[in-house]
Amino acid sequence: MGLVAVMFPRRILEEKLLALLAEDVGLGDVTTEAVVPSECTAQAEVISKADGFVAGMEEVTILAEALGLDVDCQVSDGEKITNGQVLMKLAGDAATILTVERTMLNLLSRMSGIATATKSLAEKIRKAKLKTRVAATRKSAPGLLYFDKKAVSVGGGDPHRLHLDDLILIKDNHIVVAGSMAEAVKRAKQNGSFSKKIEVEVATPEDALKAADLGVDIVMLDNFSPVKIEELMKQWKKKDFSRILLEASGGITADNLLDYAATGVDVISLGELTHSVKVVDISLEIVSTA
Amino acid sequence: MGLVAVMFPRRILEEKLLALLAEDVGLGDVTTEAVVPSECTAQAEVISKADGFVAGMEEVTILAEALGLDVDCQVSDGEKITNGQVLMKLAGDAATILTVERTMLNLLSRMSGIATATKSLAEKIRKAKLKTRVAATRKSAPGLLYFDKKAVSVGGGDPHRLHLDDLILIKDNHIVVAGSMAEAVKRAKQNGSFSKKIEVEVATPEDALKAADLGVDIVMLDNFSPVKIEELMKQWKKKDFSRILLEASGGITADNLLDYAATGVDVISLGELTHSVKVVDISLEIVSTA
Amino acid sequence: MGLVAVMFPRRILEEKLLALLAEDVGLGDVTTEAVVPSECTAQAEVISKADGFVAGMEEVTILAEALGLDVDCQVSDGEKITNGQVLMKLAGDAATILTVERTMLNLLSRMSGIATATKSLAEKIRKAKLKTRVAATRKSAPGLLYFDKKAVSVGGGDPHRLHLDDLILIKDNHIVVAGSMAEAVKRAKQNGSFSKKIEVEVATPEDALKAADLGVDIVMLDNFSPVKIEELMKQWKKKDFSRILLEASGGITADNLLDYAATGVDVISLGELTHSVKVVDISLEIVSTA
Amino acid sequence: MGLVAVMFPRRILEEKLLALLAEDVGLGDVTTEAVVPSECTAQAEVISKADGFVAGMEEVTILAEALGLDVDCQVSDGEKITNGQVLMKLAGDAATILTVERTMLNLLSRMSGIATATKSLAEKIRKAKLKTRVAATRKSAPGLLYFDKKAVSVGGGDPHRLHLDDLILIKDNHIVVAGSMAEAVKRAKQNGSFSKKIEVEVATPEDALKAADLGVDIVMLDNFSPVKIEELMKQWKKKDFSRILLEASGGITADNLLDYAATGVDVISLGELTHSVKVVDISLEIVSTA
Amino acid sequence: MGLVAVMFPRRILEEKLLALLAEDVGLGDVTTEAVVPSECTAQAEVISKADGFVAGMEEVTILAEALGLDVDCQVSDGEKITNGQVLMKLAGDAATILTVERTMLNLLSRMSGIATATKSLAEKIRKAKLKTRVAATRKSAPGLLYFDKKAVSVGGGDPHRLHLDDLILIKDNHIVVAGSMAEAVKRAKQNGSFSKKIEVEVATPEDALKAADLGVDIVMLDNFSPVKIEELMKQWKKKDFSRILLEASGGITADNLLDYAATGVDVISLGELTHSVKVVDISLEIVSTA
Amino acid sequence: MGLVAVMFPRRILEEKLLALLAEDVGLGDVTTEAVVPSECTAQAEVISKADGFVAGMEEVTILAEALGLDVDCQVSDGEKITNGQVLMKLAGDAATILTVERTMLNLLSRMSGIATATKSLAEKIRKAKLKTRVAATRKSAPGLLYFDKKAVSVGGGDPHRLHLDDLILIKDNHIVVAGSMAEAVKRAKQNGSFSKKIEVEVATPEDALKAADLGVDIVMLDNFSPVKIEELMKQWKKKDFSRILLEASGGITADNLLDYAATGVDVISLGELTHSVKVVDISLEIVSTA
């Protein structure tokens, strides 16, 4: 149903997750080591403290299992969750649960925060019977491209390009360096691989039409108002540019989202989805020990 | 003046920063490679698009210089910045500037967002002539402990423990596993190193007093109202516990911050400082090429 | 002029190159350590022992400079070289030159071998006044995607997708798993990001036309004869599919290359360019010491 | 029977193999993610498309098993294989099979190509009832010393030194730097560890005899004709140098191999075995899904 | 009973241990590969060749199990061992046992050496009914902080700070740079996090008292004689500084240990525990093969 | 003059050294950060607190320079040093000097300890006009093979094999697994590369002679008394085995060293050189600040 973005072999993801844990552990979890009796086992529950949509279940399951814990997921990535709901049951070595707790919760609460924000926008468009895709940008937290993009996908959004190697996206600064949009696009078509799409960012309807004439695959409308996009759309249909995708970006909020979507643009991208995340509060509670 | 938290030798920080860049580059910046004429140099400006306090200048300077760019900082970490202000001038290979642009901006805008939020709370307390410290938690974005804690420090906050190896912090789950608070603290004092402080999280004033009696260094008051803290304070003074630090945590917002600070607690810690960051919008513009 | 593929910030490439060197050095170059007098400096020349086109000059320059050697390039990547020609002059610590010699030559001779093979095919097509691009595949030596793709680009070829994250390329095995080509393409359009092209591999002209009808961006003709492609081309023009790219792959050699190119396919891809490389023999000679 | 060269604990080899896969995956296999239904399992066969000798079965088995796939090997490293033969059956998660397919095939086809070339030369010598060893050099693909040397061993060749830390091999450039062969050997004997052999490369029979007089363990005859070697052999026997090994190198091909072997040299080394590999074509086919 | 210091999730420790092994293996264990018949299994015993206290059992068990060996421990970390005692039984692939033997023994013999030295001092104090803790310093072998500190803990010592991020320890050089002890402590209290203790090194009783007045948590008495400490203790009690810990360091040996402990200092730290280790001789013997 | 063992390109060594530092720094040097005024520079001296021979000067110079410090060496590796002597002057950023101090001293004091012990034995033999080499084993501190072997070389010792890939050394356990010494040596000669020496450990004179008959390059006499070796020597000369090296190992101390050397064995190896190091006490003092 939704878009799901990126796929890592489990062992490669495991390494990434263990590296996150290792940073948090440093030279040892001094609290757990001092306080937890040896050979103590425990059962724990991961519990949502807010409503939202969950993401990161797959990632934290892999991390917990890599440390030898038994994991029993009560929900799957992308599902709706409510305040008080148990998301996951954990069992195993008590010290291990306590040491990995924060790394698991940090992943889960951030990814769920991204998925929840994405889902709320995507649902709004779906309910209005519109087809525009909600997409992320590369404005993620540094180093978290994989997790942030994955969470957008889980929330029903489009991850957009994953990083710098999978799309030729000519932005304003590239045009300044190349001398003109025409020159930049010409160079991209000549030097870029046939295997990649070419997208250009434009600031005016005139430039959007010019870009389409130059034969790009996608045009990004930077900071266009819905009205301006509607006017462009008339030209777009006249010129039979329908196979060239239009992406609106800049100044788009939950409030004006439907105005943008109603213009018929193919994609609406928002940096806020990943750069200014409001986490879903999730906690872990030890429920029994042995 | 403010607290500054952590210190990395430059070369070690450089490796961390290059790893962030490498994730974004993947197997190559296909846009820049196709579009930028070889041997082209450029000058660029990093410009704030909002008001706030800047953090991350040191980090992005190290990254840019590691790639051979000339960096001319116009502000220092911790300074106030305003919409439209030039923060930094860059000069050098145009392709390099374009490839590193997003990694630099992601770092700078997130760290400045954290510093700005921290500073606004810390200033509020300072203006009220109170002495309470505003502190972060370990609820950072996964893998970003160094950068998130550094930004809190730049904003005049206390980074709190950096990760799991530098403080014995006994939370509710540790107490469940140990059987009781008394047992947990006893174990911590017996097994923990003399070189580390011992902090305990409590849910009631009674437990706070009991923890103090047990000889801990810091007591964390979890979800106490200001009124409840004030009552506790009376007992605290009676018992002459003034050298035991009190940290309030949970349910604290910009709105009720001063109510908490006015109770006389030593530290107020907020997960939101690092888990739900609102970035400061910052952009980079190529201003000339050669 | 030619296509150049991928761009790495120098410092990231440096790390990759030093890792190659480290494998070769192990716990130390025991010959150099024993034999070379300390504080001895030398001048050396890197000399071609065959005709061809050079690639890898940029990479070995970065490696040598990272070790503190002075490098004076006599040719640039992509230039024609002849037997006996001096490609590069090196000066500096004699022990360092001797230790890095083989890693430099292995890189240079393999990358030049790839560039030479690519160039010979690309030139053949260019001289026939045809426009077909010669492209690589992912059939590289394990771990050498960056260097092998870069060498293809230097030789005037198209690197094709760099790895698994930059193109949706549906091959026969994907179709088996999805159940049918129609289902596979439907899923790709629904689940894949708008930012990526979709390519499908087909074994018959009928499937090629069906794929085009399904709206893919590129069709890969697997093991088609030139005659079969020509017949397909007639349908292709009738159906006005000209904006859908055609890639011929399988069974193409230097001998029949022009037959394929003459059909008007947009791209000819050959695994041999990178999986069965014939190196250009290149050696290093110490010319003086001090 | 044959020489087998190098031994890695499985877990260390696993890390190397996962790193090769990680480069190919980048931020995710976008095709598999989009096209493969979740929870789909498959059975696949790895099939040879040419005759030869197989190598790399051990390596790809370790990689596939590390990803959770079931592996059923139909042949062992070093065995003869023929066009159409099933080498391995795989079963497990369909997405995982499709993601790892190319990395497995790249390893297997390259290593089998090296083993096949080595075996054809080694067999030629064995059939002529001669005892000369066929050996590799350090002219491998960059970074592939382990895999290339292992494949030579599987093919019945001698891996020669593995890298720079396991043999003192004084080549022409070392002699130039040391001032003379006598000085270089003297330094090697004085400064080198007793635990390592000393080999010297020579260009004339006179130097070969001089090297033997200096007490080296191995003499490498660089670009000697078979006739010249035969003449040297007479002196060699006269001087009773039989315990000093002779290695012929340079200008040796399949055609003149037996002429060289017939001279009685102990070792014949060829850079082509690893620097200019012709792969054995091997493919993977999904045979059923569930 | 004793202090146990640091806790690593098993998988993170596994990576550290495999890295130690990888350095020793290089490009392969050429002896085992040549000499051991394939598919040979063996049983082996790890045997102590001296009396002492064992440490490292946990670490070498994790390493051996990571390589697929069966491990049967006969003693636990911290237990007394005697010459000739079997510490561990191993079973599994013979080649793997032989390859990992030295890395296991190097860990076990060094960690046991540290634990034995620590235990002998700690027991001496315990038998004298004194409460002083024996502590390590950061004077470990380079890169072995985790293992050296862990071994001290196993031996009943206090690991002291684990590295530079968990204690503010102001030494003589910091005081020189800050200008004065008072200034250094003032800066530490102002700029350091509330979550960390502050310790100061002093060279005279006067400075010890001054440090206590400044409000530090721990005072390190550098090269004080027991007599001088006793005199200080009188002032200490008078001033009611009992909650400030005293650490004696410098010039302390097994011979004068009790003189120091009898002064009532809280901690005695000795660099020798980790910088000049006398290993416990431990060997491995193959007892059967199959 | 002495043996110098292993040679690393500087940049590769730099990475190793920075990794050692990174472990010690963790998430930041909290003392230096709090206490050192920003932009403060300092001059420091590294001073020996004991007599001995210095090693590690090259390594700590590379580390300090990598961090931007100016280094002025007053002695070179291998030179005699005395209590109170200034070994090195450092200048630069005060915080950097304080952060790197302990890592530098740990390296320098351990490596100097190894060199001093080695030198004292090697000199004893040299003064007795004997030619036996003093050699290390693989019994180093875990992970420190490079530094420990380098220090032995600096002290005039032979590093012996560097790790498992550079010598076929058949020990008692290998013989047990192979079935007999004869079988083990036969397999080594058949399967091992011609480029490596073969050494066998023996427990009796009979086995020593048998090993020589089997054609090995080196025989290790395990726990032989000098008398027993002398008797063996008579047979050795009779059989004309002089080109086969003899290594004595086990039970050798400073006291009986000359007895062993006087037997005429080529090599005496001692695990104690690297497994039970007594460091040379070396300290760092800030001498001025600005």
Side-chain angles (χ1 to χ4, degrees), chain C residues 44-62:
Chain C
E45 291 177 351
V46 175
I47 302 168
S48 183
K49 296 297 187 183
D51 297 350
F53 290 87
V54 74
M57 293 295 290
E58 188 186 348
E59 282 74 18
V60 300
T61 297
I62 288 174

Side-chain angles (χ1 to χ4, degrees), chain F residues 72-277:
Chain F
D72 181 6
C73 290
Q74 310 290 305
V75 293
S76 296
D77 281 326
E79 283 186 32
K80 194 168 171 31
I81 56 176
T82 54
N83 188 340
Q85 185 175 349
V86 175
L87 308 181
M88 175 184 278
K89 298 185 178 184
L90 289 170
D93 179 58
T96 299
I97 292 174
L98 289 166
T99 297
V100 78
E101 170 184 345
R102 179 48 43 208
T103 299
M104 286 178 67
L105 295 180
N106 281 352
L107 267 167
L108 212 45
S109 59
R110 178 177 176 88
M111 291 181 73
S112 296
I114 294 172
T116 299
T118 306
K119 196 82 165 191
S120 94
L121 301 182
E123 289 289 288
K124 191 173 272 194
I125 289 173
R126 200 182 55 81
K127 283 182 185 153
K129 311 283 186 204
L130 296 167
K131 303 208 154 169
T132 312
R133 289 184 177 201
V134 171
T137 65
R138 271 170 55 244
K139 297 180 179 174
S140 73
L144 294 181
L145 278 169
Y146 177 84
F147 299 107
D148 285 3
K149 297 282 191 181
K150 174 75 186 299
V152 167
S153 297
V154 167
D158 187 308
H160 211 302
R161 66 170 159 170
L162 299 172
H163 51 157
L164 289 168
D165 76 13
D166 58 332
L167 171 68
I168 297 178
L169 173 35
I170 301 169
K171 309 200 76 173
D172 51 354
N173 280 332
H174 295 99
I175 290 169
V176 171
V177 171
S180 70
M181 183 174 72
E183 177 65 16
V185 172
K186 190 185 118 199
R187 294 181 65 89
K189 292 176 79 88
Q190 191 173 16
N191 300 330
S193 171
F194 75 94
S195 60
K196 279 158 201 76
K197 288 190 178 179
I198 298 175
E199 177 169 7
V200 179
E201 175 187 321
V202 299
T204 66
E206 294 68 38
D207 276 355
L209 292 163
K210 199 190 299 178
D213 274 327
L214 290 166
V216 302
D217 300 292
I218 316 170
V219 176
M220 182 196 288
L221 310 174
D222 185 40
N223 277 309
F224 278 50
S225 68
V227 172
K228 204 188 281 184
I229 298 177
E230 272 161 17
E231 282 166 22
L232 174 64
M233 276 300 183
K234 293 175 198 154
Q235 305 287 322
W236 211 251
K237 278 164 195 158
K238 247 189 246 167
K239 296 269 231 160
D240 195 22
F241 285 155
S242 64
R243 83 178 55 82
I244 299 172
L245 300 178
L246 283 169
E247 173 183 354
S249 193
I252 306 171
T253 63
D255 286 343
N256 61 22
L257 180 79
L258 289 185
D259 297 338
Y260 278 93
T263 64
V265 292
D266 302 279
V267 179
I268 289 174
S269 61
L270 305 100
E272 299 84 293
L273 288 180
T274 51
H275 72 51
S276 293
V277 176

